[in-house]
Amino acid sequence: MGIGKSKIDSCPLSLSLGKSHSVDTSQRHHESHSKKSEISLRDIAEHSNTTELPTGEQEGAEGVEEMPKEQAEEEVFLKFVILHAEDDTDEALRVQDLLQNDFGIKPGIIFAEMPCGRQHLQNLDDAVNGSAWTILLLTENFLRDTWCKFQFYTSLMNSVNRHHKYNSVIPMRPLNNPLPRERTPFALRTINALEEESRGFHTQVERIFQDSVYKTQQTIWKETRNMVQRQFIA
């Protein structure tokens, strides 16, 4: 992820992506989850006319082929995805382990583990629409990363425009290097954030990550995915 020195109130859709968002996670192998989504977040970015992607990715986008049907059958609707700054990959992995192993909220993924060699916006689209909850890892690095600011604005817009995604964006202040409340963007201050150091953290997690909400979103995701596949075949 490209790290920018922009201020909090600078244009959130102006990206500077100089690095790949995928990291080597061979020690913690996860399956690549490539999904079809109901609406494309990439359309939001294209209409903004402020998103700039590396030239290589723009040229490679035209050659992307549709996923074979047999491979699509292996797709899994995730419980959560963690959006994070590039420098916070280790912290994101720790939070992922915490939610999966201590609370049994699985499967989940961090953004750095999304498939390599694909457009950043395609991965963001798949991550947000292919999971029940989007966790924003609020650290000091978060505001310095222009891509992160784009991620959270886009995620919030998606949750507002799609009824079943309401309240699916979860800001979280982790134990290590948390972003102070007073420096948190106003749009995120309106949402109750998960506070890992809070005594009520366990209660917050249990209240937010309800299985009934997951199943409702999973059903809508499957129906949408099947409809897209039928249209493609036709």
Side-chain angles (χ1 to χ4, degrees):
M1 304 176 191
I3 304 298
K5 296 293 184 179
S6 55
K7 298 180 180 178
I8 297 177
D9 59 353
S10 62
C11 178
L13 302 183
S14 177
L15 305 185
S16 176
L17 308 179
K19 300 180 180 179
S20 169
H21 291 269
S22 298
V23 297
D24 182 4
T25 54
S26 57
Q27 296 177 347
R28 304 170 30 81
H29 180 68
H30 284 253
E31 295 181 358
S32 296
H33 304 284
S34 178
K35 312 164 197 65
K36 293 290 183 182
S37 56
E38 180 175 347
I39 63 174
S40 175
L41 300 184
R42 284 171 286 171
D43 294 338
I44 298 174
E46 290 170 359
H47 288 304
S48 70
N49 292 324
T50 57
T51 302
E52 297 180 1
L53 295 176
T55 303
E57 289 192 1
Q58 294 175 346
E59 294 175 351
E62 299 178 357
V64 176
E65 297 181 357
E66 293 291 338
M67 179 185 301
K69 184 176 180 180
E70 58 271 19
Q71 183 178 349
E73 294 300 325
E74 300 176 359
E75 296 175 7
V76 176
F77 186 69
L78 301 170
K79 286 283 183 76
F80 65 87
V81 61
I82 301 176
L83 304 185
H84 57 89
E86 182 180 23
D87 291 342
D88 291 330
T89 297
D90 288 341
E91 184 69 356
L93 287 169
R94 184 189 67 78
V95 172
Q96 180 190 29
D97 283 340
L98 174 70
L99 294 176
Q100 291 193 133
N101 298 329
D102 290 10
F103 292 94
I105 305 171
K106 59 179 68 172
I109 195 172
I110 70 170
F111 191 74
E113 292 182 318
M114 293 296 290
C116 301
R118 289 173 45 190
Q119 284 189 295
H120 298 92
L121 292 178
Q122 181 181 357
N123 272 341
L124 177 60
D125 185 32
D126 289 346
V128 172
N129 290 319
S131 59
W133 292 278
T134 301
I135 299 174
L136 306 176
L137 201 64
L138 300 183
T139 68
E140 290 283 359
N141 297 320
F142 191 83
L143 290 183
R144 291 196 291 266
D145 197 324
T146 311
W147 168 244
C148 282
K149 287 189 281 186
F150 174 80
Q151 286 178 318
F152 89 71
Y153 273 108
T154 305
S155 300
L156 287 176
M157 187 181 301
N158 191 50
S159 68
V160 170
N161 289 334
R162 305 175 65 195
H163 180 70
H164 70 286
K165 282 291 186 180
Y166 184 68
N167 283 340
S168 64
V169 178
I170 312 298
M172 177 177 175
R173 293 187 180 87
L175 287 178
N176 301 313
N177 199 28
L179 180 69
R181 294 181 183 85
E182 60 272 15
R183 294 183 50 220
T184 301
F186 177 76
L188 293 180
R189 273 185 280 168
T190 60
I191 306 174
N192 289 329
L194 271 174
E195 309 275 355
E196 191 175 358
E197 66 177 359
S198 170
R199 287 182 297 178
F201 178 70
H202 282 66
T203 302
Q204 278 186 298
V205 171
E206 292 173 356
R207 186 180 70 249
I208 291 173
F209 299 96
Q210 297 183 18
D211 202 50
S212 59
V213 176
Y214 170 76
K215 289 180 178 178
T216 297
Q217 290 203 42
Q218 183 185 45
T219 298
I220 295 175
W221 175 78
K222 286 181 178 179
E223 292 174 349
T224 302
R225 181 164 155 264
N226 291 336
M227 181 180 64
V228 171
Q229 289 178 353
R230 288 195 297 267
Q231 291 176 346
F232 178 73
I233 294 175

